[in-house]
Amino acid sequence: MDALPPENLYPYTVSRPIYSNPTFEEDNERQAREERTLRERLSRTCGCSGRQALKVVKGVFPVIDWLSRYPIREWLPSDVISGVSTGLVCSLQGLAYALLVSVAPVYGLYSAFFPILTYFLLGTSRHISVGPFPVTCLMVGSVVLTLAPDDHFLLPGNGTGVNGTKADGIVVDMEAMEAQRIMVASSMTVLVGLFQVVMGLLQVGFLVRYLSDPLVGGFTTAAAFHVLISQLKIVLSVPTNNHSGCFSILYTLIDVFTNIRQTNRADLVAGLLTIVIVMAVKEVNTKFRHKIPVPIPIEVIVTVVAAGISYATELDSRYGASIVHSIPRGFAPAQPPNIALLWNILGSSFSTAVVGYAVAVSVAKVYAAKHDYTIDGNQELIAFGFSNVFCGCFSSFVASTALSRTAVQESTGGKSQMAGIISAVMVMIVILALGHLLEPLQKSVLAAIVIANLKGMFMQVTEVPTLWRQNRADCFIWLATCLASVVLGLDVGLLAGLVFEMGTVVVRTQFPACSTLGNIPGTNIYRNMKDYKNIAEVPGIKIFKCNAPIYFANIDYFKERLRATVGFDSVRVFKKRNKALKKIHKLIKKGKLRATETGEVVSEVTLGVDNKGFESERDSGRESGQVEDGDWPVPEVEVHVDWAMELPVRVSVPKVQIHSLVLDFSAVSFLDVVAVKSLRLVIKEFLRIGVNVYIAGCDDEIVWKMEALAFFDEEVIRDLLFLSVHDAILFIKLETANGSMQDAMVEGLSLMQDCKEPLPFTEEEDLIETYDNQHRAIHGLSN
């Protein structure tokens, strides 16, 4: 919306009382919060009626809700078309992503089929396509290569054996290796599912919010680099060792370039052609998506053509090309996970569970917002958890969602998960009937399809300049997560990125933005003094604003910024004033200073002229000889010390140019016990030097927290709270005009005159004075 020109601005007038918090609560009859007992909460939560039972059942099985209202005529034709298109893509991506897990391609088909069945029953998104995702596949693959490397399956032999050759005289038992690797992958998948189910039942789906968009962007970009390098060796068809963990990318690249002379030209040409063709056609699909009713299924076309060429030209036997070889018909029998492996993969499984869910729920939210419906994050956790447990028992690996596959399902007209079920039927047809036709397909073609689908992840690099301009902290999170994930591996890299992200949050709250506010003349608007020219500081008043929560980590910084704003240290001012008062008291007792009848402290000789016409009680006493020199009685006169003027003693007292301080807490979201205790002491430090402190803009939650933490006492009372900064300023002006404000030091010197001794520190004042010492503060909190 464009800004209104000055002549079209509409002024308004509001007439209301000056409200402090207690006055406002009294006038508007603030209600006490209702605190329910644990028994009442449990009875309300666990109570069961027919309607509540039906609601719970629909919540656990969302399919009951939407399937009963499914518009067959309007949605079914679109879902059929979408399901067929998506099913073909699922089949090919399943074959390709199996290479990332380092298992046979047929297990990729299983992973594209089984999770759809359970998500159909339990999921809340209508559009995502459930199945393998490159990042989670690579995370599973790194664990597979760690626990089941080639070196664990070496057998003595002569030359090249049926099972494959590792080196001259050494044979790899491919059958045993394949069985162990799929056991590791499926066991990890079950554990990932269990983690997700438990998180869903505990309603902790919010934890994924800690994976911010910059962190996920940097992580997935790094994962794309890992995928690219892992598939590069397949496109080139060069032998490499299995590497995982720190610097695995570097070691893999070294192996690739060391054996680059062994590149198979047939595989290289097929891979490069596939990458170019698939990426080009995908660009056409994107550019003309509004004109093409159904995107061109280029992966299907390329796969069919490549398999036909490989079969016709016998690339395997004539050119040594690496092909899929065997895709057995039917499904593998169900088998339980290997319990002995679970303890070795706990950390990797948890990180994979979080990443898989985070990616899936992010994609689901995008399409839910686009089509105007909502998803349940905790139910999504349960849906993906049971999907992974189910498919892990049938020799499959972790399921999530892929952006490209979901885009195909949505763009081809998919309206519900009915399209997902139809895509599962298409995958089943491939598993049961058509799989053997893909046996001549080169693995380099599958690897090239994976690489071609990484474009979206690599394009996230273009976000870095934008993040740098918008928020450098987010940019650093992106770069740190990406670099850590590339160098340290995906598991450790994700943890390092999360720690770095939490560190930036702590730093940003530990060193919050603080400002001095001024008033826009003629308004009740207060803004940062540095940001506007037409702004004025209220005379005698400082307005200090903190734009962050105040807690134990930033309370010291808060006090430092407050001291910088007011221009003096209240503790030091108090000490210096006390020191000056003590000296003045001693000089008065010695007769070198005296108090006039108006209370002003003057020297015995003023301006070098001795007024002989004035006869004080001290003169009378001296003449009559009633007192000795140096022990004159102090008259009962309230002595006024103007701290802004030059003092009659040689003590440098810092100047205090304000009489009031307003703390704007409108941006403070919470306080902890350390902050409350420190704030109370800070307020008392100002009060004892005659500076009145007011707190404005507190939310009711903050006021309640102050009351719960015993913030208020006899000196720090609730009347210092005001609804707004303007309320506090108007109240201060009224108090100043009425002459109600008094310097606390006046009473101090009067008391000293009465008791004839310097005013001692109270125990609480001594605590305030020494509270800035961190060790003393910690000791005080521990008692």
Side-chain angles (χ1 to χ4, degrees):
M1 181 177 178
D2 296 335
L4 293 172
E7 61 272 13
N8 291 334
L9 294 177
Y10 299 99
Y12 67 92
T13 303
V14 176
S15 178
R16 66 170 179 83
I18 299 174
Y19 274 131
S20 65
N21 275 55
T23 307
F24 180 80
E25 293 168 3
E26 181 180 353
D27 289 355
N28 295 277
E29 300 181 1
R30 180 188 179 187
Q31 297 180 354
R33 294 190 176 186
E34 181 182 357
E35 295 290 339
R36 292 191 181 94
T37 63
L38 179 61
R39 183 177 180 179
E40 292 174 341
R41 293 178 184 177
L42 290 176
S43 62
R44 184 169 183 177
T45 304
C46 302
C48 186
S49 63
R51 181 175 298 179
Q52 287 178 328
L54 180 61
K55 184 178 180 181
V56 170
V57 171
K58 287 184 177 181
V60 176
F61 298 98
V63 64
I64 298 175
D65 185 34
W66 66 263
L67 192 59
S68 61
R69 298 180 286 105
Y70 184 79
I72 297 178
R73 293 185 179 181
E74 291 82 1
W75 283 13
L76 187 58
S78 299
D79 281 340
V80 171
I81 296 173
S82 175
V84 172
S85 304
T86 307
L88 295 174
V89 176
C90 284
S91 301
L92 298 178
Q93 287 190 353
L95 292 171
Y97 293 157
L99 302 180
L100 296 174
V101 188
S102 300
V103 296
V106 67
Y107 298 110
L109 291 175
Y110 299 160
S111 303
F113 172 75
F114 286 108
I116 297 176
L117 304 181
T118 47
Y119 189 84
F120 175 81
L121 300 174
L122 302 173
T124 59
S125 173
R126 301 203 308 252
H127 293 89
I128 65 171
S129 175
V130 183
F133 178 58
V135 176
T136 54
C137 289
L138 192 64
M139 296 176 75
V140 175
S142 66
V143 175
V144 168
L145 294 179
T146 300
L147 298 182
D150 295 347
D151 297 340
H152 288 186
F153 306 94
L154 300 182
L155 298 174
N158 295 318
T160 303
V162 177
N163 294 329
T165 301
K166 177 70 176 177
D168 292 340
I170 301 296
V171 177
V172 178
D173 189 347
M174 297 296 293
E175 185 176 347
M177 183 180 69
E178 193 64 50
Q180 181 63 18
R181 287 185 172 180
I182 191 59
M183 175 57 70
V184 173
S186 59
S187 298
M188 182 175 175
T189 301
V190 171
L191 187 55
V192 167
L194 292 176
F195 274 126
Q196 291 176 333
V197 169
V198 171
M199 291 169 64
L201 294 176
L202 294 178
Q203 304 286 295
V204 293
F206 67 90
L207 291 177
V208 180
R209 297 173 189 169
Y210 288 101
L211 300 180
S212 64
D213 289 344
L215 184 141
V216 173
F219 176 76
T220 52
T221 303
F225 279 103
H226 280 277
V227 172
L228 174 63
I229 300 304
S230 68
Q231 299 306 290
L232 180 62
K233 62 183 181 182
I234 300 177
V235 171
L236 297 175
S237 192
V238 295
T240 61
N241 294 319
N242 297 323
H243 302 290
S244 61
C246 299
F247 303 104
S248 58
I249 282 185
L250 179 61
Y251 296 143
T252 303
L253 283 176
I254 292 174
D255 287 349
V256 168
F257 287 107
T258 300
N259 301 317
I260 195 71
R261 294 180 181 274
Q262 301 181 39
T263 300
N264 186 288
R265 296 180 181 179
D267 286 336
L268 177 61
V269 171
L272 293 178
L273 286 176
T274 300
I275 292 173
V276 172
I277 293 172
V278 170
M279 293 185 69
V281 175
K282 280 182 174 290
E283 284 296 319
V284 172
N285 286 339
T286 302
K287 189 173 183 179
F288 299 100
R289 61 182 178 274
H290 299 298
K291 298 181 180 179
I292 303 176
V294 178
I296 301 172
I298 186 59
E299 290 101 334
V300 178
I301 297 173
V302 167
T303 301
V304 172
V305 172
I309 293 175
S310 176
Y311 176 77
T313 58
E314 299 179 353
L315 292 178
D316 177 28
S317 58
R318 296 178 60 181
Y319 299 99
S322 177
I323 63 174
V324 172
H325 280 297
S326 175
I327 301 181
R329 293 184 179 181
F331 295 97
Q335 58 179 350
N338 189 339
I339 305 298
L341 292 173
L342 300 183
W343 297 106
N344 299 323
I345 56 177
L346 281 176
S348 300
S349 299
F350 181 76
S351 59
T352 305
V354 172
V355 171
Y357 169 71
V359 172
V361 79
S362 298
V363 175
K365 285 182 178 180
V366 170
Y367 287 100
K370 181 178 179 180
H371 294 276
D372 194 23
Y373 65 93
T374 59
I375 64 169
D376 184 345
N378 291 308
Q379 180 62 26
E380 288 293 294
L381 265 176
I382 295 174
F384 278 103
F386 278 110
S387 296
N388 283 317
V389 171
F390 179 64
C391 69
C393 294
F394 286 91
S395 302
S396 305
F397 45 84
V398 174
S400 181
T401 188
L403 304 180
S404 58
R405 196 167 60 244
T406 300
V408 169
Q409 180 165 317
E410 190 268 344
S411 62
T412 53
K415 304 294 185 183
S416 69
Q417 282 301 323
M418 190 66 73
I421 284 293
I422 296 172
S423 69
V425 172
M426 296 299 298
V427 177
M428 184 177 65
I429 292 173
V430 174
I431 294 174
L432 297 178
L434 304 178
H436 69 282
L437 298 178
L438 298 176
E439 291 179 353
L441 181 64
Q442 292 170 268
K443 290 184 178 179
S444 63
V445 173
L446 294 176
I449 291 175
V450 173
I451 293 173
N453 282 287
L454 295 177
K455 179 189 173 185
M457 294 187 187
F458 281 120
M459 289 303 293
Q460 294 178 116
V461 176
T462 59
E463 298 175 0
V464 175
T466 304
L467 286 174
W468 181 261
R469 291 191 299 268
Q470 294 177 345
N471 190 319
R472 294 190 178 181
D474 288 338
C475 182
F476 286 135
I477 291 172
W478 197 104
L479 294 173
T481 306
C482 183
L483 183 61
S485 299
V486 168
V487 175
L488 304 177
L490 295 180
D491 294 344
V492 180
L494 177 62
L495 178 61
L498 187 60
V499 170
F500 184 85
E501 180 189 47
M502 292 295 101
T504 61
V505 174
V506 171
V507 169
R508 279 184 279 187
T509 57
Q510 188 172 359
F511 303 100
C514 299
S515 56
T516 303
L517 304 186
N519 176 244
I520 304 298
T523 71
N524 63 344
I525 300 173
Y526 295 83
R527 290 292 184 268
N528 192 336
M529 293 285 295
K530 296 180 180 179
D531 295 338
Y532 297 88
K533 291 183 178 179
N534 185 29
I535 195 169
E537 190 171 27
V538 183
I541 304 173
K542 284 287 185 181
I543 308 172
F544 179 76
K545 183 175 183 179
C546 178
N547 295 308
I550 305 176
Y551 63 112
F552 67 93
N554 66 5
I555 185 61
D556 288 335
Y557 181 78
F558 173 88
K559 292 191 288 187
E560 290 175 9
R561 298 305 305 159
L562 181 58
R563 281 194 291 266
T565 297
V566 298
F568 57 85
D569 183 347
S570 57
V571 174
R572 184 169 181 269
V573 170
F574 182 76
K575 286 182 178 180
K576 291 293 186 179
R577 287 187 177 183
N578 249 355
K579 185 177 180 180
L581 292 176
K582 292 175 185 178
K583 288 191 175 184
I584 292 174
H585 176 73
K586 290 180 180 179
L587 292 177
I588 290 177
K589 289 186 67 177
K590 292 180 179 180
K592 296 181 180 180
L593 291 177
R594 62 184 175 86
T596 65
E597 295 177 346
T598 60
E600 182 181 358
V601 177
V602 296
S603 175
E604 282 292 328
V605 179
T606 305
L607 298 178
V609 179
D610 191 5
N611 185 2
K612 300 185 182 296
F614 177 77
E615 181 178 346
S616 65
E617 295 178 5
R618 184 186 317 154
D619 296 330
S620 302
R622 180 182 299 156
E623 292 176 359
S624 61
Q626 295 176 356
V627 296
E628 297 179 0
D629 189 25
D631 192 21
W632 303 105
V634 180
E636 296 298 329
V637 178
E638 189 179 70
V639 176
H640 299 275
V641 178
D642 189 350
W643 299 109
M645 304 296 291
E646 184 178 356
L647 299 177
V649 293
R650 292 185 178 180
V651 178
S652 177
V653 180
K655 303 298 182 183
V656 178
Q657 306 293 341
I658 61 173
H659 56 73
S660 299
L661 171 66
V662 178
L663 302 178
D664 184 357
F665 274 21
S666 58
V668 176
S669 57
F670 74 86
L671 301 167
D672 71 350
V673 61
V674 177
V676 167
K677 185 173 183 180
S678 297
L679 284 173
R680 183 173 63 248
L681 298 179
V682 166
I683 292 173
K684 290 182 179 181
E685 289 172 0
F686 279 102
L687 289 177
R688 68 182 183 177
I689 63 170
V691 176
N692 295 301
V693 182
Y694 305 91
I695 300 177
C698 284
D699 184 75
D700 288 342
E701 191 71 25
I702 297 295
V703 177
W704 177 82
K705 181 65 69 174
M706 288 178 172
E707 294 172 346
L709 296 176
F711 177 73
F712 303 105
D713 57 20
E714 294 180 357
E715 295 180 70
V716 182
I717 58 177
R718 297 185 81 259
D719 287 336
L720 60 80
L721 300 180
F722 284 85
L723 287 188
S724 68
V725 172
H726 197 57
D727 284 298
I729 296 299
L730 293 179
F731 176 81
I732 294 170
K733 289 183 176 180
L734 285 176
E735 291 290 298
T736 305
N738 295 334
S740 301
M741 294 189 178
Q742 183 178 359
D743 192 337
M745 287 298 103
V746 171
E747 297 181 4
L749 187 54
S750 178
L751 287 173
M752 286 200 304
Q753 287 184 304
D754 293 338
C755 65
K756 307 294 189 297
E757 293 293 338
L759 187 67
F761 285 145
T762 64
E763 182 179 354
E764 187 173 3
E765 288 170 339
D766 183 61
L767 175 62
I768 297 172
E769 180 185 343
T770 59
Y771 191 78
D772 283 332
N773 185 305
Q774 187 68 22
H775 299 289
R776 179 67 177 271
I778 295 175
H779 177 72
L781 288 173
S782 64
N783 291 335

